[in-house]
Amino acid sequence: MIKRFLRWMPSFWALLFLAVPVMGVATFVLADHYNIWLPRDVSEHGRTIDQLFFFILYLTGIVFIVTEVVLFYFAWKYDAKHNSKPVEFSHGSHSLEVVWTILPAVTLLFIAIYQMDAWAAAKMRPPEIPFTCEVTGRQFNWDFRYPGPDNVLYTPDDIVRTDGNLYLPYGEEVLLKITSADVLHSFFLPNLRLKQDVIPGMDQKMWFRATDGGSFDIVCAELCGWGHYKMKGRIHLLKPEQFAAKLEELRQEQNTMRVAEAK
Amino acid sequence: MSTVPYDHHHEAAGHAAHGHGHAPSFLKTYVFSLDHKIIGLQFLFSTLIWFVVGGMLALGVRWQLAWPWSPMPILGNLVGHAEGGQIPPETYTMLVTMHATVMIFFVIIPVLAGAFGNFLIPLMIGADDMAFPTLNMLSYWFMWPAFIVIGASFFVEGGAAQSGWTSYPPLSALFTAAPGSGTGQTLWLIGVTFVGVSSMMGSVNYMTTIIQMRAPGMTMFRLPMTIWGMFITATLQAFALPVLTAAGFMQVTDRLLGTGFFLSDGATANNALAQAGGGQPLLWQHLFWFYSHPAVYIMILPAMGMVSDILSCFSRKPLFGYKPMVYSIGGIAGLGFIVWGHHMFVSGMNPALGLTFMVSTMMIALPSAIKTFNWLGTMWGGKIQFTTPMLFSIAFVSMFIIGGLSGIFMAATPVDIFIHDTYYIVAHFHYVLFTGTAMAVLGAIYFWFPKMFGRMMNDQWGKIHFLLTFILMNCVFFPMHILGMRGFPRRLADPYHYDTFRDLMPLNQFMSWCAFLLVGVQIIFVINFFWSIFFGPRAGRNPWHANGLEWQAPSPPGHGNFDFQPVIYRGPYEYGSPEVDVDYYPQTQPPTGREVPAAKH
Ligand code: HEM
Ligand SMILES: [Cu+2]
Ligand SMILES: [Cu+2]
């Protein structure tokens, strides 16, 4: 009885390999529980990205579990200690090769094609509206320049802010011009699922439509020197009316400063 | 089978120059040796020493991530001298940069091609040495300028390079951009160039040797997978390396001669204007990744080959799908040249180009999947012996599945927008490189140790080493996936500067504890390794009852390798063949002529 159980019992090593899928899945379950998960999303395209993430997570999750369990099963079943059958003297199987070539190929191609639209929407189809703000990365700060009342950048009524606070409206399309003044940086807005490296001498566009208000982090995601870790900013998403009011406030503030300087 | 005692091999191999009478000097035998086995061991010992250095640098990184700004015992005084053991942010960036540089250029690449490539290629194909022994010796000795230059860079003003192992300009090209962008960066570029020269010499040699010097009967499709891995790796090196070398020179001239390949007009850093402009920082990224993507396969194909050999041997069963395995290595190599842009999805590269790189990257996951299925097929229906090398090899397969699957997330461009440059990427490449390649290398050391030193390593201690390593490395690296999901960025000296990441500190502390233990338990391996060199039980020629040609040579093989002329009758995977009574059928054993039922497919 005990002997039979021991012979049936998977070897320690087989069980160790079974621990891989078990602990792997457990980690993700616990992560969800402890909120180590995708951060809150407040953008429209972010929803598509999250859906795509979970689609791939579930798909690869299944492949992960199945292959790891097969690995465990073979390690258990064909353990020389209790497998008395002669080995399969097989050099492979043509039909199996065909199956496991075509199946993943089709799946991968499907993912590839399926995601193209989300990418195009995020990076290839800028809206045809004036810039809401210009973002410039410099060691180790984010500077912002709003076009001011005339809606044109680089005119005297521009509002320039260097305190790391970016105010933008939600509920409507926003177009940013992003660039760098020195080395590479990366303008990363985790809660808007946006990231774009900024390059000196090259202007790029970034656009989104936020769905909700609030204040969120701006993170620099490209190594830019010793102070990279502290190159942080805040983005404040406001109702369009509040945003307009805030801009006006910033403009007044700047004007008083100018007047003060002129004196 | 050959039973010639191994001290008679000199005559048999006909190497008159090393006949009796005058023993070659110590310097010639062990230092400036032309023998591929000695050169292989030189590479092995050098890379293992650098492995320790790279590990220490990693511990500095882990310390800072767990207990930011608190003085680090011992190591902190070495790297953070000024601040009483505290790691300043520029030192942290240096640690990250140099950890990756050391591990990639001084450990993984040279241990695979330099150590195992050198040791195994002639033995496995039945040659008495490499095609160009002098070139081979030089390929090792060209590592030394690199070792010295990079080693010295830690002590120059400003410290070693700090712009990441990817060395992106303008940060790396402008002296004023960072403390480490001074002399340290120049030395970094020179060091990496020397590694490149060394790899190129090795690569030419391996290709020639494998094509020209196979023993009679050793057709290309009778080569073990290890050799296929080495062969394709050598071709990748040969075609990709010149690009990195050229790019490295361009960055050196940007820095020293005032050219502007990678600097746009009016480039400044800290208000100091660069001398020239008119260039493009993205150009560097294209050139760098054109080499470094193939390089990630250089860092795994030989490992895949060695794992295939070990899996088949200890499953006592032929390798499943030999030809699909060979073709998928070829496919990986070919596709490997057209996927580099997946490192640049959000770099500012034309997003339409991103789409094409996305498709090719998705497709490169395919050969990896095929290989995984074939490894599982190899275990199916076998008689698995859980020896130490086998455990490491199964672990490789199990972990490679994780690393391969996480690649698909990043290949999906919209998802990569979010996870690029977060810990998700760090998880991905540690799963393929540490839990993958490094496990394969450890397994391979346990497996070929008897051939290298003529003695066995201790299997019990090997298993303990395996168990602890396996558990601890997963505790260190698996949580990185969920950190990445949260958007936790890589290369930040103090991530907790962002309030959102504060709650991730306990998890990071857990990971760091495991990292320290992981490095600690490697002492078991080090002791086992050195003890066994001197006191391990003697291994015969073929302690594992393996088929490969190398197991027919004496352990350790003398100069000239074989004490008989090897003639090859079959591939290296005929385990459990009905043609023989034992469960292995060495490549050199003449056919028994026994009638067997038509082979199954
Ligand atoms: C299944 C196949 C694989 C796919 C689809 C894949 C995909 C990718 C992608 C898309 C990235 C870029 C991520 C980003 O920066 O946003 C990446 C990074 C990386 N991959 Fe893979 N990968 C695969 C296999 C491998 C293998 C086998 C290795 C090494 C042996 C490897 C090593 C790396 C490294 C080192 C990086 C990061 C480089 C860096 O930014 O420092 N990958 N991989
Ligand atoms: Cu930065
Ligand atoms: Cu790559």
Side-chain angles (χ1 to χ4, degrees):
Chain A
M1 175 64 192
I2 291 175
K3 236 178 160 178
R4 253 183 58 202
F5 176 74
L6 278 181
R7 278 194 49 199
W8 171 87
M9 218 353 237
S11 76
F12 174 76
W13 298 116
L15 283 176
L16 183 70
F17 291 112
L18 182 63
V20 172
V22 173
M23 298 304 287
V25 172
T27 307
F28 274 83
V29 172
L30 282 174
D32 191 10
H33 186 257
Y34 287 104
N35 193 29
I36 308 179
W37 206 244
L38 293 179
R40 188 172 150 227
D41 162 54
V42 291
S43 75
E44 217 158 55
H45 71 274
R47 200 172 315 142
T48 331
I49 291 182
D50 289 2
Q51 277 163 1
L52 196 60
F53 183 91
F54 285 114
F55 170 69
I56 299 178
L57 183 65
Y58 290 127
L59 195 80
T60 53
I62 293 168
V63 176
F64 167 63
I65 294 169
V66 170
T67 44
E68 298 282 0
V69 168
V70 167
L71 181 82
F72 150 73
Y73 178 72
F74 287 175
W76 166 35
K77 180 94 192 289
Y78 301 112
D79 185 345
K81 280 215 189 73
H82 46 238
N83 177 21
S84 47
K85 286 204 220 97
V87 299
E88 296 278 348
F89 187 65
S90 151
H91 289 79
S93 148
H94 189 70
S95 37
L96 267 178
E97 298 289 349
V98 172
V99 172
W100 66 44
T101 304
I102 293 189
L103 223 62
V106 171
T107 318
L108 288 165
L109 262 183
F110 173 75
I111 305 178
I113 294 166
Y114 177 73
Q115 52 148 325
M116 283 188 178
D117 201 53
W119 172 253
K123 296 279 179 194
M124 291 168 77
R125 295 198 284 257
E128 283 171 14
I129 51 172
F131 288 113
T132 321
C133 185
E134 183 200 54
V135 177
T136 307
R138 67 173 74 245
Q139 288 178 325
F140 300 98
N141 196 39
W142 295 105
D143 295 348
F144 309 110
R145 171 190 283 264
Y146 304 88
D150 68 352
N151 253 341
V152 183
L153 278 167
Y154 316 118
T155 49
D157 67 348
D158 284 1
I159 307 163
V160 179
R161 304 290 298 181
T162 53
D163 64 353
N165 285 306
L166 173 62
Y167 300 92
L168 288 174
Y170 69 86
E172 57 185 50
E173 200 82 44
V174 167
L175 181 66
L176 303 178
K177 179 174 179 180
I178 58 174
T179 188
S180 165
D182 41 40
V183 299
L184 302 185
H185 305 274
S186 191
F187 190 59
F188 179 25
L189 303 170
N191 302 82
L192 292 151
R193 307 290 187 267
L194 281 175
K195 184 183 288 133
Q196 183 65 51
D197 291 4
V198 291
I199 302 170
M202 193 170 141
D203 294 334
Q204 298 181 75
K205 290 175 179 171
M206 184 186 247
W207 57 93
F208 61 90
R209 186 196 287 269
T211 53
D212 206 355
S215 297
F216 305 97
D217 280 318
I218 299 172
V219 180
C220 179
E222 182 65 65
L223 181 61
C224 56
W226 68 270
H228 172 50
Y229 73 99
K230 57 177 190 153
M231 189 162 160
K232 102 176 156 176
R234 290 290 277 178
I235 178 170
H236 308 276
L237 296 169
L238 309 170
K239 277 211 191 85
E241 316 84 78
Q242 282 173 337
F243 171 63
K246 186 76 202 178
L247 273 191
E248 186 52 30
E249 184 193 318
L250 296 180
R251 200 170 67 88
Q252 299 291 352
E253 209 178 295
Q254 180 161 307
N255 284 348
T256 33
M257 269 163 57
R258 279 215 190 120
V259 173
E261 268 165 32
K263 271 193 191 148
Chain B
M1 212 189 308
S2 170
T3 49
V4 191
Y6 81 85
D7 32 344
H8 289 300
H9 61 268
H10 281 149
E11 290 86 341
H15 274 255
H18 293 274
H20 294 280
H22 49 93
S25 73
F26 176 84
L27 212 63
K28 253 200 150 148
T29 320
Y30 293 108
V31 184
F32 295 104
S33 172
L34 297 177
D35 186 326
H36 71 99
K37 298 180 292 295
I38 300 294
I39 298 172
L41 293 182
Q42 288 171 329
F43 266 109
L44 184 65
F45 283 107
S46 311
T47 51
L48 288 180
I49 290 170
W50 279 103
F51 201 19
V52 176
V53 175
M56 293 300 141
L57 295 167
L59 291 187
V61 173
R62 279 309 330 166
W63 177 272
Q64 176 74 2
L65 287 175
W67 303 280
W69 315 126
S70 50
M72 182 177 181
I74 310 168
L75 204 69
N77 289 321
L78 289 176
V79 296
H81 20 83
E83 337 270 315
Q86 209 183 34
I87 299 175
E90 63 274 19
T91 305
Y92 176 83
T93 1
M94 181 277 281
L95 289 174
V96 179
T97 303
M98 296 314 287
H99 162 66
T101 304
V102 166
M103 288 303 193
I104 290 172
F105 294 112
F106 287 179
V107 180
I108 299 273
I109 293 181
V111 81
L112 290 174
F116 285 101
N118 254 312
F119 190 84
L120 292 176
I121 290 173
L123 280 170
M124 286 182 132
I125 67 171
D128 57 357
D129 206 318
M130 286 286 181
F132 311 116
T134 313
L135 192 66
N136 206 20
M137 175 185 78
L138 286 176
S139 88
Y140 175 69
W141 285 107
F142 263 82
M143 287 303 283
W144 273 90
F147 292 161
I148 291 167
V149 164
I150 297 271
S153 80
F154 284 93
F155 304 101
V156 299
E157 199 191 326
Q162 293 172 12
S163 46
W165 80 279
T166 48
S167 197
Y168 283 1
L171 183 62
S172 58
L174 297 174
F175 277 73
T176 45
S181 295
T183 319
Q185 180 67 27
T186 308
L187 294 179
W188 186 92
L189 287 163
I190 294 172
V192 170
T193 306
F194 273 109
V195 177
V197 173
S198 154
S199 295
M200 190 51 109
M201 291 175 173
S203 139
V204 170
N205 215 345
Y206 301 163
M207 286 193 289
T208 317
T209 307
I210 294 172
I211 292 176
Q212 291 292 335
M213 298 186 56
R214 281 167 288 129
M218 181 65 94
T219 59
M220 284 309 265
F221 281 122
R222 282 179 183 168
L223 289 175
M225 290 307 295
T226 302
I227 300 301
W228 271 110
M230 298 289 175
F231 182 62
I232 302 278
T233 295
T235 7
L236 284 175
Q237 292 271 34
F239 286 100
L241 245 174
V243 177
L244 181 73
T245 310
F249 272 118
M250 287 154 82
Q251 196 176 117
V252 169
T253 61
D254 268 12
R255 295 171 52 77
L256 300 181
L257 304 180
T259 55
F261 294 109
F262 306 126
L263 297 171
S264 42
D265 281 330
T268 61
N270 277 323
N271 300 321
L273 206 64
Q275 290 147 304
Q280 174 46 278
L282 281 183
L283 176 62
W284 166 266
Q285 298 187 24
H286 281 291
L287 297 176
F288 179 83
W289 289 116
F290 184 85
Y291 166 74
S292 291
H293 183 83
V296 309
Y297 292 109
I298 290 167
M299 292 184 259
I300 204 161
L301 293 182
M304 289 174 157
M306 297 192 295
V307 162
S308 306
D309 287 2
I310 297 173
L311 277 179
S312 170
C313 175
F314 293 112
S315 298
R316 311 309 295 167
K317 186 176 162 283
L319 186 72
F320 202 84
Y322 175 86
K323 282 199 178 165
M325 286 288 223
V326 174
Y327 298 146
S328 37
I329 296 192
I332 289 177
L335 283 170
F337 277 106
I338 53 165
V339 298
W340 79 88
H342 65 216
H343 298 275
M344 300 172 61
F345 285 145
V346 299
S347 68
M349 175 180 76
N350 185 339
L353 207 52
L355 278 183
T356 62
F357 281 121
M358 179 273 290
V359 176
S360 55
T361 304
M362 284 289 173
M363 290 334 289
I364 210 171
L366 181 62
S368 311
I370 296 174
K371 292 193 78 74
T372 305
F373 297 139
N374 280 301
W375 286 320
L376 293 176
T378 304
M379 289 169 68
W380 160 78
K383 271 187 189 303
I384 297 171
Q385 301 171 346
F386 290 103
T387 57
T388 309
M390 182 62 166
L391 288 171
F392 277 103
S393 301
I394 301 178
F396 172 92
V397 176
S398 172
M399 301 289 102
F400 180 71
I401 293 173
I402 300 178
L405 290 175
S406 63
I408 297 176
F409 288 80
M410 304 175 313
T413 41
V415 177
D416 191 59
I417 297 175
F418 179 65
I419 57 181
H420 171 71
D421 268 338
T422 67
Y423 259 75
Y424 205 89
I425 274 68
V426 182
H428 164 71
F429 61 71
H430 282 96
Y431 263 89
V432 280
L433 289 177
F434 188 91
T435 72
T437 301
M439 292 308 103
V441 166
L442 286 173
I445 290 178
Y446 282 99
F447 188 64
W448 279 292
F449 187 92
K451 192 53 59 184
M452 292 174 173
F453 301 105
R455 292 171 187 271
M456 305 294 288
M457 282 179 83
N458 183 301
D459 199 53
Q460 283 302 316
W461 282 105
K463 282 176 173 156
I464 294 170
H465 168 227
F466 167 75
L467 179 65
L468 294 171
T469 304
F470 185 76
I471 293 173
L472 288 168
M473 73 188 182
N474 277 294
C475 294
V476 177
F477 297 120
F478 201 82
M480 290 183 180
H481 292 106
I482 57 174
L483 288 182
M485 263 181 98
R486 250 302 270 286
F488 195 71
R490 67 194 275 205
R491 293 171 170 170
L492 290 193
D494 180 9
Y496 315 107
H497 194 62
Y498 295 91
D499 294 336
T500 27
F501 299 131
R502 286 266 163 80
D503 62 325
L504 297 176
M505 204 169 189
L507 182 58
N508 271 298
Q509 288 170 346
F510 166 76
M511 291 156 66
S512 291
W513 270 113
C514 293
F516 279 87
L517 288 174
L518 177 63
V519 171
V521 300
Q522 301 312 310
I523 199 81
I524 302 175
F525 170 75
V526 173
I527 294 175
N528 193 348
F529 186 88
F530 285 106
W531 191 87
S532 304
I533 288 183
F534 299 106
F535 309 111
R538 283 199 184 276
R541 287 178 184 238
N542 192 359
W544 309 113
H545 294 176
N547 286 339
L549 190 50
E550 76 276 25
W551 299 107
Q552 301 307 314
S555 303
H559 199 73
N561 293 341
F562 294 93
D563 42 13
F564 60 101
Q565 171 58 49
V567 177
I568 280 72
Y569 297 99
R570 63 190 64 77
Y573 300 114
E574 302 302 292
Y575 295 99
S577 165
E579 281 184 46
V580 277
D581 297 323
V582 285
D583 69 348
Y584 63 113
Y585 198 7
Q587 288 186 277
T588 47
Q589 184 178 337
T592 55
R594 187 189 292 177
E595 283 290 322
V596 280
K600 257 196 295 180
H601 235 341

